[in-house]
């Protein structure tokens, strides 16, 4: 059983590690300001957690100079949100906040009042600032859902269109008509039955194989012509085209995995998704310090493990890939919680990490993760068991791989 906080020999040590959830306290846990500062969440769709994210990110933007806020949402849809908050659309008066929330988010995130407030605040923050100093928005997930993936049409044709308008036609790998013929109807790509029946996927058809080669050629041309293209348009436009290229190749790779019949099928699919997230975050970080919010499991430094209907899957998370590339320039705060009573998640057992933290007097606090692991002793407490599939308890084994723990006692 985990020691009671009132009488544990580590009480003073633990109390020393408990802070308010504020920007200054977060930065105090880190050796330097990271280029990517990640805040995880153990469940999706709870505005209590998103309101806390909004306040903390606002402080980090205003006090620490972070320039991008990225969330676990479709990277292509996120371009609409970025345009809205930075006034980059041709006529911003024709795009309403309602339209941005409806079309700029995936996974239903646009219905969240907290996400709406985030977008409203970002636009207000940018009011009166020069373009070079405006706060940016990014979706970093691929155009993927639990039941499948989008057609690569939007990303692939957008990349082709950007290149076709600015380089010699002889350099292009194909025409737009060729792409349209090979893509066929979008419903071929988005059939939800392909998630559980690989035979329904078109990802390994002759057309898909040819599209993968053409997409690779177009991305190579985009890179080779970068000096000309950035001069002819702008670095922002070229970077957006790079996003089209990453998304097109990632989606084609994902669809190829959808048609896989081997036991490693789900591992391959989950690997591709986290790779897409990591590559999008590296691109965001290349333009300046960035804040990111996503599920804890995407941001952790260790391997992810999950049991699917096809058996267990194990792969490196986006956070592990980022940490490998960025080192100390990547920092990760894991969020843990006590209760979500409206989902049947009641007071945590006292012999779990969450139970240990629930005994603290604070409703929400920030804890040094590594010192907490020391205070809990060896062996660490057992993992909490979730009664609801939508909530993933904190894995004590990952404490030492985190830079801090944000604990919320009750999600209302």
């Amino acid at each position: 059983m985990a020691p009671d906080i009132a009488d544990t020999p580590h009480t003073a040590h633990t109390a020393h590690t408990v802070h308010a959830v504020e920007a200054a306290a977060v930065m105090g846990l880190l050796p330097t300001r990271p280029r990517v500062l990640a805040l995880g969440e153990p469940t999706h769709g709870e505005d209590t957690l998103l309101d806390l994210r909004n306040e903390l990110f606002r402080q980090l933007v205003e006090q620490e100079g972070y320039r991008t806020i990225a969330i676990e949402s479709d990277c292509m849809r996120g371009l609409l949100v970025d345009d809205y908050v930075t006034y980059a659309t041709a006529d911003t008066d024709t795009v309403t906040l309602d339209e941005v929330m409806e079309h700029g988010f995936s996974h239903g995130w646009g219905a969240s009042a907290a996400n709406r407030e985030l977008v409203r605040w970002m636009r207000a923050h940018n009011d009166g600032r020069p373009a070079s100093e405006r706060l940016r928005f990014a979706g970093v997930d691929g155009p993927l859902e639990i039941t499948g993936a989008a057609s690569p049409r939007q990303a692939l044709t957008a990349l082709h269109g950007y290149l076709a308008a600015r380089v010699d036609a002889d350099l292009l790998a194909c025409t737009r008509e060729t792409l349209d013929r090979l893509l066929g109807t979008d419903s071929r790509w988005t059939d939800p039955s392909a998630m559980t029946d690989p035979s329904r996927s078109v990802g390994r058809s002759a057309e898909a194989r040819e599209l993968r080669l053409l997409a690779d050629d177009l991305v190579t041309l985009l890179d080779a012509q970068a000096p000309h293209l950035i001069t002819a348009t702008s670095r922002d436009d070229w970077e957006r085209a790079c996003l089209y290229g990453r998304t097109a190749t990632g989606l084609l790779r994902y669809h190829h995995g959808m048609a896989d019949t081997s036991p490693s099928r789900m591992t391959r699919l989950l690997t591709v998704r986290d790779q897409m997230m990591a590559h999008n975050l590296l691109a965001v970080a290349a333009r300046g310090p960035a804040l990111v919010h996503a599920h804890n499991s995407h941001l952790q430094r260790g391997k992810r493990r999950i049991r699917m209907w096809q058996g267990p899957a194990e792969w490196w998370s986006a956070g592990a890939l980022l940490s490998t590339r960025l080192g100390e320039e990547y920092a990760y705060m894991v969020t843990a919680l006590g209760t979500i009573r409206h989902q049947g998640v009641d007071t945590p057992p006292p012999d779990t990490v969450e139970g240990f933290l629930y005994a603290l007097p604070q409703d929400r606090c920030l804890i040094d993760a590594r010192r907490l692991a020391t205070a809990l002793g060896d062996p660490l407490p057992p993992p909490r068991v979730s009664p609801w599939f939508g909530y993933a308890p904190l894995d004590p084994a990952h404490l030492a791989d985190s830079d801090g723990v944000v604990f919320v006692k009750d999600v209302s």
Side-chain angles (χ1 to χ4, degrees):
M1 176 178 292
D4 186 273
I5 196 164
D7 56 21
T8 173
H10 299 289
T11 296
H13 186 64
T14 304
H16 180 67
T17 70
V18 177
H19 313 275
V21 185
E22 297 173 345
V26 169
M27 302 310 294
L29 296 180
L30 307 173
T32 184
R33 185 187 72 170
R35 180 167 286 269
V36 175
L37 176 52
L39 175 66
E41 64 175 358
T43 185
H44 287 317
E46 295 293 343
D47 275 1
T48 297
L49 300 180
L50 299 183
D51 288 337
L52 180 63
R53 172 207 65 186
N54 288 356
E55 176 57 23
L56 180 59
F57 280 9
R58 181 188 66 78
Q59 293 179 22
L60 288 163
V61 167
E62 294 176 349
Q63 298 173 25
E64 299 295 334
Y66 280 90
R67 301 294 295 277
T68 299
I69 292 178
I71 73 169
E72 182 187 338
S73 184
D74 184 334
C75 58
M76 294 290 288
R77 291 192 182 206
L79 295 173
L80 175 63
V81 185
D82 188 46
D83 283 349
Y84 180 78
V85 301
T86 60
Y87 316 118
T89 52
D91 183 357
T92 57
D93 290 336
T94 66
V95 181
T96 67
L97 179 56
D98 286 343
E99 291 169 328
V100 170
M101 299 311 297
E102 180 180 357
H103 302 293
F105 293 84
S106 60
H107 303 86
W109 300 161
S112 161
N115 282 336
R116 185 183 185 91
E117 175 56 23
L118 175 67
V119 174
R120 187 209 62 75
W121 172 77
M122 290 180 70
R123 184 174 169 95
H125 174 86
N126 286 334
D127 189 24
R129 297 178 188 270
S132 61
E133 297 179 8
R134 289 175 188 165
L135 183 60
R136 303 288 298 273
F137 177 90
V140 293
D141 203 356
L144 309 170
E145 295 286 354
I146 297 299
T147 55
S151 164
R153 178 185 305 280
Q154 180 186 6
L156 195 52
T157 56
L159 172 61
H160 185 277
Y162 175 82
L163 291 168
R166 296 167 181 90
V167 302
D168 293 339
D170 291 345
L171 295 177
L172 290 170
C174 63
T175 64
R176 169 63 186 267
E177 290 72 25
T178 297
L179 289 182
D180 285 337
R181 175 178 58 81
L182 293 171
L183 286 163
T185 61
D186 287 346
S187 59
R188 298 172 64 235
W189 300 90
T190 58
D191 182 357
S193 65
M195 176 49 73
T196 53
D197 182 0
S199 69
R200 300 298 298 271
S201 171
V202 298
R204 299 195 177 187
S205 64
E207 294 86 354
R209 288 196 295 271
E210 187 171 354
L211 284 168
R212 291 187 74 183
L213 291 173
L214 293 175
D216 181 71
D217 285 344
L218 291 173
V219 170
T220 300
L221 180 61
L222 180 68
D223 181 60
Q225 292 290 316
H228 160 64
L229 292 168
I230 292 172
T231 301
T233 58
S234 69
R235 180 168 292 276
D236 277 353
D237 287 341
W238 180 78
E239 288 178 353
R240 180 168 291 204
C242 290
L243 172 62
Y244 298 150
R246 290 194 304 275
T247 305
T249 54
L251 279 173
L252 287 165
R253 192 178 304 118
Y254 193 90
H255 281 289
H256 183 265
M258 292 269 284
D260 185 11
T261 58
S262 76
S264 62
R265 177 177 184 263
M266 288 308 302
T267 294
R268 293 179 189 276
L269 292 177
L270 296 166
T271 295
V272 170
R273 182 184 180 192
D274 271 79
Q275 282 182 315
M276 291 178 73
M277 292 181 70
H279 292 160
N280 284 334
L281 277 167
L282 286 169
V284 166
R287 69 188 184 205
L291 303 166
V292 58
H293 186 253
H295 198 279
N296 286 329
S297 58
H298 287 301
L299 300 174
Q300 68 188 39
R301 285 188 172 93
K303 268 191 170 182
R304 294 187 63 186
R305 296 175 178 85
I306 192 171
R307 177 166 291 278
M308 308 289 288
W309 64 89
Q310 290 183 318
E314 182 179 78
W315 71 104
W316 291 107
S317 66
L321 300 175
L322 285 166
S323 183
T324 300
R325 294 284 292 272
L326 298 178
E328 286 190 351
E329 289 197 296
Y330 176 71
Y332 164 51
M333 303 288 156
V334 60
T335 295
L337 56 84
T339 72
I340 324 174
R341 298 193 194 279
H342 57 279
Q343 297 291 1
V345 180
D346 293 321
T347 304
D351 64 339
T352 63
V353 176
E354 288 89 346
F356 183 74
L357 296 175
Y358 201 79
L360 295 171
Q362 295 89 345
D363 289 332
R364 54 188 63 184
C365 57
L366 173 69
I367 302 108
D368 184 311
R370 295 175 181 88
R371 290 186 177 182
L372 175 61
T374 300
L376 291 170
D378 184 18
L380 289 168
R384 183 184 188 183
V385 177
S386 173
W388 175 50
F389 74 93
Y391 157 61
L394 188 152
D395 184 345
H398 288 308
L399 269 178
D401 294 328
S402 307
D403 296 291
V405 178
V406 173
F407 183 70
V408 177
K409 181 168 285 188
D410 300 295
V411 173
S412 60

